[in-house]
Amino acid sequence: MPLVPLDDANRATLDGIANSVYTRSGLAGMAAAVWIGDQAWQSTYGVGDLTTQAAYPADGYVRIASITKSFTGTAVLQLVDEGALKLTDVLESFVPGIAYGDTITIAQLLGMKSGIYDFTGNARFLEEFNANPTMVWSPDQTVEIIKANQPAFAPGGQLQYCDSNFFLLGMILEKVGGQTTSEVITERVISRLGLTGTSYPTDAAMPEPHPTAYFPGGDTSDGSKPFDNTANPPRVADEVNPAVSGAAGAMISTLADLRAWGRELAGGSLLKPETQALRLQYTRFPDAQINVGYGLGCEVFNDFVGHNGAIIGYSTVVMSNPKADVTIAAVANESTNFSTPTSDFVYGVIKQLYPDQWK
């Protein structure tokens, strides 16, 4: 497949897409990049700090939120490759007492088909977390919320995105790996790939440098609404307790490292070829207008593979297509737990530069 050239016309197109996403979303700041072969386009928009009006730092650290799931999924699949886990192993063997736990498999947790109640959708939890992102939290509290609520459906019957699946997979990683989730993912994934800007933090602080993180003001119940930082000033949310999101969303990275991670997620050098192929087998999201779905710890959109993320303070996304030798990523410093405006950049790029994939 011939590479799409990053000529002046396409660079202008990319700038137009990114600037449009930034303007429409109301984000404080954003950085976006596209790498095709040995060529690169990268630009920043808005500010890294609303008070000082400092420029957005293109190399700054950000919380990558649910992109963490793809790291967790990789570590789990490594244990499967080594025979320490089976995709058919059931949840009850590791975390007892959850409804259908004797039939929910590792594969169903990875593929968002467990039917387990999503703890991050719990109104009381969300109210407390939004009010205090550094709140003390333990895995037992997550499990209590799951147990106290009815499953969404019987295991395997449907596909539904759910943070609980990967929080529980983190607990399983600890039991099987004999280390903390942070240690398992650092040793098995981050260190092996030399991702020097990536970490699974154990405290609420952000490494320097980083853009100031903002939680938008006003009504944030609708994740599709643009932010209005003038009418509804956001609050600073630099510190977030990683124990709250756990293996579903705790990690930190950089735009440059997301490039490397996107390529790994699509290429699978850390997994056996047959396991990588299994990871990329996906089920289309219900009611999706385009052919996007979920594999085993990754989002798949035709030949593009990646993940997006949203957590208080940051919105992130990366997708890669090995056939076209392209990786697309964007990061921003304002978000609720559910707003993903950066994904609009990726989809805009695919639609404009790779129209054959827009289906």
Side-chain angles (χ1 to χ4, degrees):
M1 176 182 293
L3 300 186
V4 172
L6 279 177
D7 53 22
D8 289 346
N10 282 334
R11 288 176 183 274
T13 295
L14 294 174
D15 182 63
I17 294 168
N19 192 53
S20 176
V21 169
Y22 161 70
T23 303
R24 291 196 321 267
S25 65
L27 287 164
M30 184 179 89
V34 176
W35 300 272
I36 303 175
D38 60 1
Q39 294 184 296
W41 169 90
Q42 184 169 324
S43 192
T44 60
Y45 305 85
V47 297
D49 188 279
L50 289 168
T51 301
T52 67
Q53 292 292 295
Y56 192 97
D59 59 346
Y61 293 97
V62 295
R63 297 189 191 278
I64 59 172
S66 285
I67 297 176
T68 302
K69 292 178 176 68
S70 57
F71 284 82
T72 301
T74 298
V76 168
L77 291 172
Q78 286 174 320
L79 291 173
V80 170
D81 278 345
E82 295 165 14
L85 266 178
K86 295 185 179 67
L87 289 174
T88 53
D89 285 342
V90 295
L91 176 60
E92 181 71 17
S93 302
F94 307 98
V95 185
I98 292 175
Y100 295 118
D102 57 345
T103 58
I104 293 170
T105 65
I106 298 295
Q108 288 168 343
L109 291 169
L110 286 167
M112 301 293 189
K113 295 181 178 181
S114 72
I116 289 173
Y117 178 80
D118 192 353
F119 82 100
T120 58
N122 181 270
R124 182 176 176 183
F125 161 83
L126 197 57
E127 182 180 358
E128 293 178 358
F129 187 42
N130 286 348
N132 180 19
T134 62
M135 68 183 187
V136 176
W137 196 255
S138 72
D140 288 344
Q141 289 172 276
T142 297
V143 174
E144 285 174 11
I145 294 175
I146 294 170
K147 288 181 177 180
N149 291 273
Q150 290 296 313
F153 52 85
Q158 301 177 45
L159 171 71
Q160 185 178 85
Y161 192 91
C162 172
D163 289 307
S164 295
N165 289 319
F166 281 80
F167 193 100
L168 294 170
L169 284 168
M171 296 174 68
I172 292 170
L173 275 181
E174 291 193 351
K175 291 193 175 185
V176 177
Q179 299 172 294
T180 66
T181 309
S182 174
E183 290 169 339
V184 172
I185 290 177
T186 299
E187 181 179 304
R188 289 181 163 273
V189 184
I190 298 171
S191 295
R192 292 186 188 181
L193 293 175
L195 301 178
T196 56
T198 303
S199 64
Y200 189 118
T202 56
D203 60 45
M206 281 290 291
E208 296 288 349
H210 67 84
T212 301
Y214 292 102
F215 183 81
D219 180 8
T220 59
S221 60
D222 184 352
S224 66
K225 285 185 177 179
F227 307 140
D228 188 338
N229 292 332
T230 301
N232 301 297
R235 75 174 194 262
V236 174
D238 284 340
E239 295 193 343
V240 176
N241 181 4
V244 179
S245 55
M251 291 179 63
I252 291 170
S253 191
T254 63
L255 192 61
D257 269 14
L258 285 180
R259 178 197 185 190
W261 180 242
R263 292 167 65 92
E264 168 59 32
L265 196 56
S269 72
L270 296 178
L271 302 176
K272 292 181 178 179
E274 58 268 29
T275 304
Q276 172 66 6
L278 192 62
R279 167 159 70 178
L280 300 185
Q281 292 180 14
Y282 67 100
T283 300
R284 185 167 174 162
F285 284 118
D287 303 322
Q289 299 302 304
I290 52 178
N291 188 34
V292 60
Y294 210 81
L296 298 183
C298 61
E299 295 171 357
V300 183
F301 175 37
N302 296 314
D303 292 327
F304 284 85
V305 182
H307 216 292
N308 68 5
I311 195 168
I312 291 174
Y314 292 102
S315 172
T316 54
V317 65
V318 62
M319 296 203 85
S320 188
N321 179 344
K323 294 180 180 178
D325 197 8
V326 59
T327 301
I328 311 165
V331 299
N333 62 333
E334 186 169 2
S335 185
T336 68
N337 279 307
F338 306 105
S339 46
T340 56
T342 49
S343 289
D344 292 341
F345 172 71
V346 169
Y347 288 130
V349 173
I350 294 172
K351 188 174 184 179
Q352 290 296 315
L353 299 192
Y354 303 93
D356 61 308
Q357 294 286 306
W358 192 255
K359 56 186 177 181

